[in-house]
Amino acid sequence: MSAATRRELLAGVALLGLGAGADHLLQQSSPGHTRRDGESDVVDFYGEHQAGVATPAQDHMHFAAFDLATDEIDRLRALLEQWTTAADSLTNGRPSRAGLSDREGSPLDTGEAGGLAPAHLTLTFGFGPTLFDGAVHDSFGLLRRRPRELQTLPPFQGDALDTSISGGDLCVQACADDPQVAFHAVHVLSRLAEGVATVRWTQQGFGRTSSTSRKQETARNLMGFKDGTDNIRGEDRGAMSRYVWVQPEDGPDWMVGGSYLIARRIRILFDVWDAAPLQEQQRVIGRDKASGAPLGASREYDPVDLNATDAGGEPAIAADAHIRLASPTYNDQRILRRGYSYSEAVEPGSGQINAGLFFIAFQRSPTRQFIPIQRRLAASDALNRHTVHTSSAIFACPPGIKPGEFVGQALLE
Ligand code: HEM
């Protein structure tokens, strides 16, 4: 690079980092993407609960898990403060200015969302069990503040977990209607974490596999089935309090209004699935593939009748069908599903698509909700012949905050 070009670059860099024109430059710099004036596509970062749970599921997700690289709790606190400042800007479609005092010269904001609309970006932060673990982060002294519910998930039958893409001390779930906006947010947050936390694993997701709002049409998962029909809707305040938000009687105090996020990367074995006849695929799920109606009924939102029989007097929804074993009737529990499809590079020579469902569920109590449901599914679900769970993680997502507070403040104080 010539000296002149480098000087020009540094001048631009300084502008991005410190100058008053940074916002303007970033908002103009991406021809082809423009802001949609007059229509709000900002989801409020502040509130009683963190955004990204009850929020209508956006089209794309970028998830990142971090491991802490410091023993100083003050540095963790400073990171959470910076992440909060950055999240406030990013979710409003503004470049991040967090970390101002730490950086001289290099751009504070990485720049790739310049000119892009906020795209309903939500950033949802969580704390993993290892953050509280005295053996790992002894000096934090957080062990006594660890929620009873926040335990590494037990092994389930059939698990084939890769530990390098499981667990983590911290997480951020970035969801947006534009994949570049979601990526940018994770990029900026990981940069702010330099020296304090390292990225342990990331997961990109597309094509929401769950509706979380009454206004959304049910999308299809990569097996071609409508997914999310019987999900909890964010507007259903009764169900959200009963099944999703941690209540005062659950404790600890710092988690009240929060929720537990469980992530499972589930690979779909397309060679087996694609070869299965349509009737068998429908038997496995328990629903009609085209309409999404429960077997034995005719429309997508018809109630699931586990006692319905077919013309031969057999149960219309088989004993090992996915929706029977996952149903609230069977489990007396519900969860809020908010997953995304994923597709990754294939292992050379394998000849198989490496794709599936990045399953995310939010709930008030993993020990009463996800764990027993997944135990039943792992033991008997017909879907197990077509899927394999390859990663697993649990995070405690604290409640929302007011302007002036930082994410997780109640835990650290
Ligand atoms: C690749 C893996 C999976 C696929 C392809 C899948 C697909 C589906 C489909 C197509 C439905 C029916 C539509 C609906 O009501 O949403 C459904 C329902 C459901 N699934 Fe899954 N699922 C998977 C994994 C899981 C896991 C791991 C859990 C929880 C441990 C789970 C829990 C549920 C629940 C609770 C329902 C709603 C049942 C009802 O209320 O009728 N699923 N799933």
Side-chain angles (χ1 to χ4, degrees):
M1 188 188 291
S2 73
T5 319
R6 197 190 307 272
R7 254 197 321 276
E8 278 160 25
L9 185 72
L10 285 175
V13 149
L15 177 68
L16 287 180
L18 304 165
D23 286 8
H24 175 73
L25 190 110
L26 282 164
Q27 285 167 16
Q28 297 301 314
S29 62
S30 267
H33 301 280
T34 46
R35 281 165 193 276
R36 282 175 280 151
D37 288 336
E39 178 194 333
S40 174
D41 54 3
V42 171
V43 179
D44 199 354
F45 175 66
Y46 298 102
E48 185 184 356
H49 309 291
Q50 285 199 69
V53 183
T55 311
Q58 303 90 325
D59 294 337
H60 297 271
M61 179 213 66
H62 214 103
F63 193 94
F66 295 80
D67 278 341
L68 278 172
T70 179
D71 287 337
E72 294 168 43
I73 198 154
D74 287 346
R75 296 193 72 195
L76 170 62
R77 177 196 305 268
L79 174 63
L80 294 173
E81 284 170 355
Q82 290 199 348
W83 275 1
T84 303
T85 308
D88 181 4
S89 303
L90 296 170
T91 52
N92 279 291
R94 296 193 306 264
S96 168
R97 291 169 177 283
L100 197 60
S101 58
D102 301 346
R103 299 198 189 280
E104 288 171 19
S106 63
L108 294 173
D109 189 288
T110 51
E112 69 271 36
L116 300 184
H120 298 113
L121 174 69
T122 54
L123 293 165
T124 316
F125 297 93
F127 303 125
T130 45
L131 180 71
F132 299 81
D133 191 341
V136 182
H137 297 298
D138 202 17
S139 55
F140 287 173
L142 291 177
L143 193 54
R144 68 192 165 80
R145 312 213 70 190
R146 176 181 179 152
R148 261 176 305 145
E149 291 281 354
L150 187 65
Q151 308 288 342
T152 301
L153 293 175
F156 297 101
Q157 200 173 318
D159 275 0
L161 303 185
D162 176 347
T163 51
S164 68
I165 52 168
S166 298
D169 293 337
L170 303 171
C171 82
V172 57
Q173 173 201 259
C175 295
D177 290 328
D178 181 331
Q180 188 148 327
V181 169
F183 171 83
H184 169 248
V186 167
H187 188 186
V188 167
L189 298 177
S190 63
R191 204 149 170 265
L192 286 170
E194 270 170 31
V196 186
T198 53
V199 180
R200 180 178 171 88
W201 54 275
T202 62
Q203 181 66 55
Q204 195 176 358
F206 61 92
R208 62 176 170 82
T209 56
S210 285
S211 314
T212 57
S213 164
R214 293 196 183 110
K215 295 186 196 113
Q216 292 181 310
E217 266 191 47
T218 319
R220 290 184 187 271
N221 62 29
L222 298 186
M223 287 176 148
F225 275 78
K226 290 191 176 184
D227 202 338
T229 306
D230 260 352
N231 203 14
I232 296 174
R233 302 297 197 257
E235 296 94 345
D236 186 346
R237 294 175 76 88
M240 292 298 290
S241 303
R242 183 157 174 210
Y243 298 111
V244 181
W245 305 127
V246 173
Q247 299 296 311
E249 62 268 30
D250 302 331
D253 288 354
W254 67 266
M255 264 302 281
V256 174
S259 191
Y260 295 93
L261 179 161
I262 289 177
R264 306 277 292 180
R265 183 162 130 168
I266 308 174
R267 182 170 175 173
I268 299 172
L269 307 173
F270 286 105
D271 49 346
V272 190
W273 175 256
D274 293 341
L278 175 63
Q279 212 182 351
E280 170 61 11
Q281 293 188 352
Q282 297 184 153
R283 211 194 73 87
V284 166
I285 298 294
R287 284 184 178 268
D288 181 89
K289 192 165 184 176
S291 67
L295 296 182
S298 50
R299 285 181 306 271
E300 182 188 352
Y301 287 102
D302 285 348
V304 174
D305 178 1
L306 297 178
N307 298 318
T309 49
D310 62 17
E314 295 297 317
I317 299 172
D320 59 354
H322 180 64
I323 65 160
R324 175 182 291 275
L325 297 175
S327 86
T329 315
Y330 203 81
N331 295 286
D332 200 25
Q333 280 296 346
R334 301 179 73 195
I335 49 180
L336 174 76
R337 288 170 288 143
R338 211 177 186 284
Y340 289 84
S341 297
Y342 76 87
S343 173
E344 299 282 307
V346 292
E347 277 171 38
S350 78
Q352 290 297 322
I353 289 176
N354 178 3
L357 169 64
F358 187 67
F359 174 93
I360 292 183
F362 288 94
Q363 58 250 282
R364 177 179 166 188
S365 161
T367 57
R368 282 185 281 123
Q369 294 170 275
F370 178 83
I371 295 173
I373 297 174
Q374 177 55 20
R375 276 215 178 99
R376 282 185 198 110
L377 294 178
S380 324
D381 191 353
L383 200 54
N384 297 338
R385 293 195 290 277
H386 305 277
T387 56
V388 56
H389 290 228
T390 59
S391 92
S392 177
I394 179 169
F395 297 95
C397 300
I401 53 166
K402 298 198 237 348
E405 295 176 342
F406 65 89
V407 173
Q409 185 164 339
L411 166 65
L412 295 190
E413 281 179 352

